[in-house]
Amino acid sequence: MHSIFASDLHLSPQRQRIVESFFGFLKSTASSADALYILGDLFDYWIGDDDLAEPFNAGVSDALRGLVQGGTPLYLMHGNRDLLLGSEFAARCGAQLISEPFVLDLHGTKTLLLHGDTLCSDDVEYQKFRARARSPQFQREFLARPRPERWRQILGLRAESEDSKRLKTEEIMDVTGATVESELRSHGYPRLIHGHTHRPGRHVHVVDGHVCERWVLPDWYERGGYLRCDASGCVALML
């Protein structure tokens, strides 16, 4: 028995090689797992479930539905790029949307799942934007706009984000140690799995005398990878 975790795929029509790699991953790797968890940023951008009929989006959802119909449960968590994924998309895929923080018994080990952006608390500018973008009022107003207008706004926000990143240090865009420790403490010292930072690796935190493992998932910009966990532990694997 094993479960697999992926994050930050950033699928888009402009990155067809990675899209095909993801489809292959679903058929050859995820299909043999007891569950697949995608911890945010499945898409590079998502303007709302009313865009689901667009051929690229429909193709991705059909591939995910094929995985679920083959017997592998699928769990989706929102990221910062696809926070508007809704119940219509989940229903088409046969997936279950999960909210963060999400805690589960993972093959005998208490495990905390996050997208990871809440851990980057030193990036005050981003945290302010995150709070605004996730407010129900902001989302209602955004989704009420015509689809072409939403596309323009999303692309504009992406450009602003890239410009902002160039002015920030690598440290400020990574997790804040004290925030990581606070999350581990408040959830009973679990194992932690997250993405977002694009800095894959395994970290060990000693919090109040408890040894806690933290796994950071890789992004899929160039190659792609995932985390495989079973009763003996977790191992990071690249495609």
Side-chain angles (χ1 to χ4, degrees), residues 5 101-113 183-193 210-215 229-231 234:
F5 299 82
F102 188 81
V103 179
L104 74 160
D105 182 334
L106 184 61
H107 307 291
T109 299
K110 185 178 182 180
T111 302
L112 169 64
L113 307 181
E183 285 285 355
L184 293 170
R185 181 179 295 111
S186 65
H187 289 93
Y189 313 103
R191 171 200 288 143
L192 170 59
I193 302 174
H210 298 269
V211 178
C212 302
E213 188 177 45
R214 176 171 67 93
W215 287 93
C229 297
D230 59 23
C234 297

Side-chain angles (χ1 to χ4, degrees), residues 34-56:
D34 295 288
L36 169 62
Y37 295 81
I38 299 178
L39 303 185
D41 289 356
L42 170 64
F43 291 99
D44 205 30
Y45 34 76
W46 188 261
I47 67 167
D49 282 5
D50 59 343
D51 204 38
L52 186 52
E54 194 276 330
F56 175 78

Side-chain angles (χ1 to χ4, degrees), residues 12-224:
S12 74
Q14 293 74 37
R15 303 177 60 245
Q16 197 59 40
R17 182 180 63 82
I18 289 297
V19 173
E20 293 301 326
S21 181
F22 176 63
F23 288 170
F25 164 79
L26 294 178
K27 293 178 180 179
S28 65
T29 301
S31 60
S32 65
D34 295 288
L36 169 62
Y37 295 81
I38 299 178
L39 303 185
D41 289 356
L42 170 64
F43 291 99
D44 205 30
Y45 34 76
W46 188 261
I47 67 167
D49 282 5
D50 59 343
D51 204 38
L52 186 52
E54 194 276 330
F56 175 78
N57 297 334
V60 173
S61 63
D62 288 347
L64 292 170
R65 184 173 69 239
L67 174 74
V68 174
Q69 289 177 339
T72 301
L74 172 65
Y75 300 90
L76 299 176
M77 179 177 285
H78 292 115
N80 52 296
R81 301 286 190 93
D82 56 7
L83 56 89
L84 293 173
L85 282 178
S87 58
E88 186 177 345
F89 178 83
R92 180 174 176 125
C93 298
Q96 179 179 335
L97 288 173
I98 57 175
S99 301
E100 61 176 341
F102 188 81
V103 179
L104 74 160
D105 182 334
L106 184 61
H107 307 291
T109 299
K110 185 178 182 180
T111 302
L112 169 64
L113 307 181
L114 299 171
H115 174 56
D117 53 347
T118 55
L119 301 174
C120 304
S121 56
D122 283 347
D123 192 345
V124 177
E125 178 185 348
Y126 170 77
Q127 295 300 330
K128 289 179 179 178
F129 169 78
R130 184 185 187 280
R132 181 168 65 92
R134 291 189 178 240
S135 70
Q137 180 179 350
F138 177 90
Q139 294 188 8
R140 282 195 303 270
E141 292 175 352
F142 180 84
L143 291 171
R145 296 169 182 166
R147 288 169 61 201
E149 183 178 341
R150 277 181 270 156
W151 273 110
R152 288 193 296 271
Q153 184 171 351
I154 285 290
L155 294 177
L157 288 172
R158 290 300 316 125
E160 290 177 13
S161 175
E162 292 304 313
D163 288 342
S164 175
K165 286 180 182 178
R166 284 191 281 269
L167 301 176
K168 296 177 181 178
T169 65
E170 291 293 321
E171 291 75 18
I172 202 171
M173 291 188 291
D174 200 357
V175 301
T176 302
T179 304
V180 171
E181 292 183 4
S182 177
E183 285 285 355
L184 293 170
R185 181 179 295 111
S186 65
H187 289 93
Y189 313 103
R191 171 200 288 143
L192 170 59
I193 302 174
H194 70 87
H196 181 68
T197 64
H198 302 190
R199 293 171 171 83
R202 177 182 179 272
H203 305 266
V204 175
H205 300 265
V206 180
V207 185
D208 305 331
H210 298 269
V211 178
C212 302
E213 188 177 45
R214 176 171 67 93
W215 287 93
V216 186
L217 302 171
D219 65 72
W220 286 52
Y221 277 122
E222 297 297 333
R223 183 178 174 186

